Amino acid sequence: MTEQVQIQSIIANIEKVMIGKKEIAELALVALLADGHVLLEDVPGVGKTMMVRALAKSIGADFKRIQFTPDLLPSDVVGVSIYNPKEMEFEFRPGPIMGNIVLADEINRTSPKTQSALLEGMEEASVTIDGITMPIPKPFFVMATQNPIEHEGTYPLPEAQLDRFILKLKMGYPHPSEEIEVLNRLEKNSPIEELRPVISLEHLIDLQKKVKEVKVDSTVKGYIVELANRTREDTYVYLGVSPRASIALMRASQAYALLQGRDYVIPHDIQYLAPFVFCHRIILRPEARYDGISTEEVVARILKRTPVPIKRKVSQ
């Protein structure tokens, strides 16, 4: 199978479970192919867990779920060393972070110390226990969820930690016709139980390598940097995006181009993905709140005002 056929087979498999959420499935796959992680912010019951399970089953990955609570400890996430009296030595018991696809459910409900344990693993792709560093199996993909409605007893992620997520997504409620289809499919049994892998983990790792081979022309790189700089200069913005955001946008665009069957990035890829990459990394000034301005509106205005690179032949 070609790369695009492999990618589209994963999306089609997820659609057997997720009705009307093709865009979210594509974006989640873009993050996975770009070797990044996703923050999914939405109300309970819209299918966040089902999305991650369907993705894990589609690629035959080891799926782990962490339900974050205020009393969760870092060792509950990364694992712990336990003394074995028979062997007279300590044995490492891996935590749920040592999986391929990890669902970090309601990440804002646990303490900053436990949040940091997960986010360190996301950044370094390894965990350190008792001074010993152990790599996390590849591929490694975290989808963290948080409820935007309930704030009591939560610990909002600091901006430096939000920056670790390549994309921030929102699923939204399904259309009434889509919700009826959901009821029809779940009337007798759950389709997730019948889902089978369509590609292997080895093929997925190959796809991640292919993403890095997608060409990004110098004019497109300049366009990314120009957009990033304009977030830092906007009158409504207190803190603009970092160079890490520019890298994230380039990586995501490479993955999206591969998903579209191209081996090069075009400005439209940047325009489409910029809101998902930039919005959660921007801090607005107080006056923006008074004027009813959101980060989404700021990014949309920047995209509208920034000149698009002139179309020319991509350098070989």
Side-chain angles (χ1 to χ4, degrees), residues 40-64:
L40 190 55
E41 185 178 76
D42 221 320
V43 296
V46 293
K48 299 187 292 290
T49 302
M50 194 69 74
M51 167 69 72
V52 189
R53 287 183 63 196
L55 178 59
K57 282 205 165 192
S58 296
I59 62 175
D62 184 24
F63 172 72
K64 303 288 185 181

Side-chain angles (χ1 to χ4, degrees), residues 9-241:
S9 66
I10 298 172
I11 295 169
N13 211 40
I14 295 173
E15 284 191 290
K16 294 178 182 177
V17 177
M18 302 300 299
I19 311 298
K21 300 297 179 186
K22 183 176 181 180
E23 183 184 34
I24 298 298
E26 288 181 343
L27 289 169
L29 190 54
V30 162
L32 174 60
L33 293 175
D35 205 11
H37 308 282
V38 168
L39 179 61
L40 190 55
E41 185 178 76
D42 221 320
V43 296
V46 293
K48 299 187 292 290
T49 302
M50 194 69 74
M51 167 69 72
V52 189
R53 287 183 63 196
L55 178 59
K57 282 205 165 192
S58 296
I59 62 175
D62 184 24
F63 172 72
K64 303 288 185 181
R65 177 177 178 174
I66 310 171
Q67 185 66 50
F68 282 92
T69 56
D71 61 345
L72 199 72
L73 299 174
S75 59
D76 296 326
V77 175
V78 300
V80 64
S81 293
I82 298 177
Y83 184 71
N84 185 336
K86 289 185 178 180
E87 303 293 334
M88 299 183 67
E89 61 182 18
F90 283 91
E91 293 180 350
F92 174 63
R93 299 282 179 87
I97 197 175
M98 303 294 281
N100 299 126
I101 307 291
V102 179
L103 173 63
D105 213 1
E106 295 194 272
I107 189 174
N108 57 333
R109 288 209 171 277
T110 197
S111 67
K113 188 174 183 179
T114 305
Q115 289 175 356
S116 296
L118 172 70
L119 293 161
E120 179 185 355
M122 289 167 49
E123 180 67 16
E124 306 297 333
S126 62
V127 295
T128 303
I129 306 292
D130 298 332
I132 301 174
T133 300
M134 284 159 284
I136 297 173
K138 287 188 174 292
F140 175 54
F141 174 70
V142 174
M143 182 173 281
T145 72
Q146 61 180 13
N147 186 346
I149 305 301
E150 298 176 1
H151 296 289
E152 186 176 351
T154 62
Y155 304 86
L157 291 173
E159 284 67 32
Q161 294 183 350
L162 284 172
D163 205 27
R164 309 285 184 185
F165 295 96
I166 191 170
L167 303 176
K168 181 180 178 182
L169 308 176
K170 296 179 181 179
M171 294 190 72
Y173 288 114
H175 186 274
S177 62
E178 295 169 348
E179 194 163 356
I180 290 173
E181 180 61 25
V182 170
L183 297 179
N184 290 336
R185 292 194 184 186
L186 293 173
E187 186 175 2
K188 294 183 179 179
N189 50 35
S190 175
I192 189 71
E193 304 303 331
E194 301 173 2
L195 220 57
R196 296 291 179 267
V198 292
I199 71 168
S200 65
L201 286 180
E202 291 74 19
H203 285 139
L204 182 73
I205 292 171
D206 288 340
L207 286 174
Q208 289 179 328
K209 293 176 181 177
K210 289 285 184 182
V211 165
K212 296 179 181 179
E213 297 173 6
V214 173
K215 303 179 188 71
V216 186
D217 191 74
S218 58
T219 57
V220 176
K221 291 176 183 175
Y223 185 45
I224 293 172
V225 172
E226 179 65 20
L227 291 173
N229 277 323
R230 292 198 179 210
T231 67
R232 302 161 193 162
E233 299 168 355
D234 193 280
T235 55
Y236 280 118
V237 176
Y238 173 72
L239 182 67
V241 301

Side-chain angles (χ1 to χ4, degrees), residues 288-303:
R289 186 183 305 170
Y290 301 146
D291 293 343
I293 301 296
S294 65
T295 54
E296 288 80 6
E297 290 173 310
V298 169
V299 173
R301 184 177 62 186
I302 289 172
L303 285 168

